[in-house]
Amino acid sequence: MTSSRVRVLVLNAALGPLDYRVPHGMTVEPGSIVVAPLGPRQLLGVVWEPERLPGEEVGDNRLRPLLGVVDAPPIPAPLRRLIEWTADYYLAAPASVLRMALSSTSALEGAKLATEYRATGQVPDRLTPQREQALERIGDRQGLVRELATMADVSEAVVRGLVKLGAIEAVSVDIDVPYPIPDPAHGVPVLSEQQADVAGVLCDAVNTQPFQPFLLDGVTGSGKTEVYFEAIAAAISRGQQSLVLLPEIALTEPFLKRFHARFGCEPVAWHSDLRSTQRRRAWRAIATGQALVTVGARSALFLPYANLGLIVVDEAHETSFKQEEGVHYHARDVAVMRGLFERCPVVLASATPAIETRHQVALGRYTELKLPGRYGKAELPAIEPIDLIAEPPIRGRWIAPKLVNAIDQVLERGEQALLFLNRRGYAPLTLCRSCGHRFQCPNCTAWMVEHRLIHRLSCHHCGHMIPTPRKCPECDAEDALVACGPGVERIADEAAALFPNARIAIVTSDTLWSPAKAAEFVNRMEAGEIDLVVGTQLVTKGYHFPNLTLVGVIDADLGLAGGDLRAAERTFQQIMQVAGRAGRGDKPGHVYIQTTAPDAAVMRALVSGDAESFYAAETEARQEADVPPYGRYAAIIVSSEDKDAANDAARRIGRAAPEVEGMHVFGPAPAPLAMLRGRHRFRLLVHARRQLDVQDVIRDWLGQVEWSAKVRVAVDVDPYNFL
């Protein structure tokens, strides 16, 4: 860039783009990562095209010079266009979106060697409970002192103390070692005729490189992964990069194993459990194009790929692809836009596609590719309802007699079973039978959940935790606290009493907190060391256990409460996914669904397997109500530690709501979760017709309203969470 003046988007969401002078001898271009002065501070930023990011015009004589250019590849133009689009569509500050692309600041530093720490295997003579917890949780992992402390949930001083005692040692790490190159000719699978046809379509798209979104709609066990692996092989052969997005960090490990079997090495992983040295190595390899395949959580979508040739969103229906904090983006939709800017195909793979995705197929925007049957000899499991009113469990228990008998028979045959309940902990509510006191989170409008494995009451919204008390804090009554309702720990206790010889594993985000823990679980299942799994939605997807032949859904009605417009669809998807874990090998599978409403449309559809009728009815209901995908929603969430300030701001925003044809504003009203992390919350819900540019309306509307500095106002375009 020959101009001595450049516009820079700095990593400060409160500031707009700023202009700087380029010192003599410094060369920058759009996308260059630079260090810019701001008062006495130094900020990272990216040089941007001035015409694309309007900024305040400042005279040349007032411009401060840039301090330096970072030794890293520039942010590519397609990613800059994606950042602009994401900021505009989701009403976010461009700097907040850019921060996701520059999420590894260590990647921008020069050092190639780092000092990390790992356990030596020596156990000190005197172990405090904190040190014991640290060594147990750290296990074979290594990292910086602060990373080990975070892993172990202890202070850095505890880790440093273990270093002094010789229980943890320092190791030098070369952090820019190149990644192995996957071999497209390694482990080539034998595909069925149907799989080969679909793989051929995807490979053609990769080779011709048009932007084209595909819906890969295949029943659980149909081999969707093997099919899109062939498209990845085509991209590798062309020297291009592929990105695979997964909804859960715990799914990364099983995926890496399958990938290794197909391509002879592991792909580059990107998720929150990585050490800073691993993040640096991955970021730089992706930015230079050396990393050919990346698998990661939704944040991997904003990495600076040098030569992206394919994007795959696996389990594309999953609501965890929607970011609920910071920039409220949906990774599935942003992935399609990234494909548009990169001019490459995008594959949305799912056994239960979202109605929004089906609608895009109906409009002709997405191409549907179907895999209606399971691979090889495996057949879809039989699904049978258990009417909890006609056949209730024994008093004080949660597993119905019919399901107990079925588990007995499965365990006798040496097969594995899975009990599914999407509720962590032991019980969702603890109360005092003496005075009726209920344990509520002090920071949120939510009950404290009992976790007996760790002897704590925990809030699942803010993480607040207290030891389980022996007596009631209200009336001092001892032994008066009673657990109400079941969580997975309670179901596991019941299962242990019913099946005393069974080896039981509890699978939730509390027990599978890292990819290593997920790998350990998979290995134990495959080795036949587990007979009965009790788990949450973490076990509903991605896992392939040929000896698992029985699935029991403890409370199929759980997800239907609350009035969420996607409640029935989400329940259908979740139960179909967990049902898909049964009978994936040669042995037939069976699924029992415990419900109080066996005649409900969603339950009838699950039992009959008539997904099309269910989706048709749901789609028609959405169309009549003019809700997504036929109408639009946007939520405005007003929050503050000061309730009156939040209420006042919400009322001001409500009074300023514009009269726009085809748009209605509901509220303000206290949010269903009226307090979260100590902040009082009020919501307004905007309902608009599909054709309305609701972002422009909201941008102008909020731009005219002033509120206290104590108040935070967030906008959630296309919300999935209505709490």
Side-chain angles (χ1 to χ4, degrees), residues 43-66:
L43 291 180
L44 279 174
V46 172
V47 175
W48 222 269
E49 299 90 335
E51 67 277 9
R52 300 197 67 92
L53 279 186
E56 184 185 345
E57 287 297 328
V58 177
D60 286 355
N61 60 328
R62 292 174 55 203
L63 293 182
R64 296 184 68 183
L66 291 172

Side-chain angles (χ1 to χ4, degrees), residues 336-402:
V336 173
M337 292 307 297
R338 178 133 204 197
L340 174 66
F341 293 126
E342 299 279 358
R343 303 187 191 283
C344 74
V346 181
V347 179
L348 308 181
S350 175
T352 52
I355 287 174
E356 286 83 353
T357 306
R358 288 168 167 264
H359 183 59
Q360 295 296 329
V361 171
L363 292 174
R365 293 174 182 163
Y366 295 2
T367 302
E368 185 175 33
L369 302 171
K370 284 182 105 58
L371 292 171
R374 281 193 160 177
Y375 180 75
K377 296 178 182 177
E379 294 181 1
L380 288 169
I383 300 179
E384 185 178 332
I386 297 176
D387 186 341
L388 290 177
I389 295 172
E391 304 176 74
I394 295 169
R395 187 174 175 80
R397 288 193 170 164
W398 308 95
I399 308 174
K402 184 184 282 189

Side-chain angles (χ1 to χ4, degrees), residues 86-93 319 321-331 333-334 564-566 570 628 631-638 653 671 676 681-688 694-695 698-699 701-702 712-723:
T86 304
D88 180 67
Y89 187 87
Y90 291 104
L91 294 172
T319 54
F321 279 125
K322 173 73 175 182
Q323 169 84 13
E324 298 292 353
E325 299 288 334
V327 183
H328 292 258
Y329 70 96
H330 197 303
D333 301 337
V334 178
D564 183 346
L565 77 96
R566 297 181 178 88
R570 198 145 50 213
R632 305 194 66 188
Y633 276 138
I636 301 172
I637 304 107
V638 183
I653 292 169
L676 180 65
R681 303 168 76 242
F682 293 83
R683 282 176 65 99
L684 298 96
L685 188 64
V686 179
H687 180 203
V694 76
Q695 286 91 341
I698 294 174
R699 201 178 280 114
W701 166 15
L702 295 182
R712 188 184 301 154
V713 177
V715 181
D716 186 358
V717 177
D718 303 336
Y720 271 61
N721 183 345
F722 290 85
L723 295 178

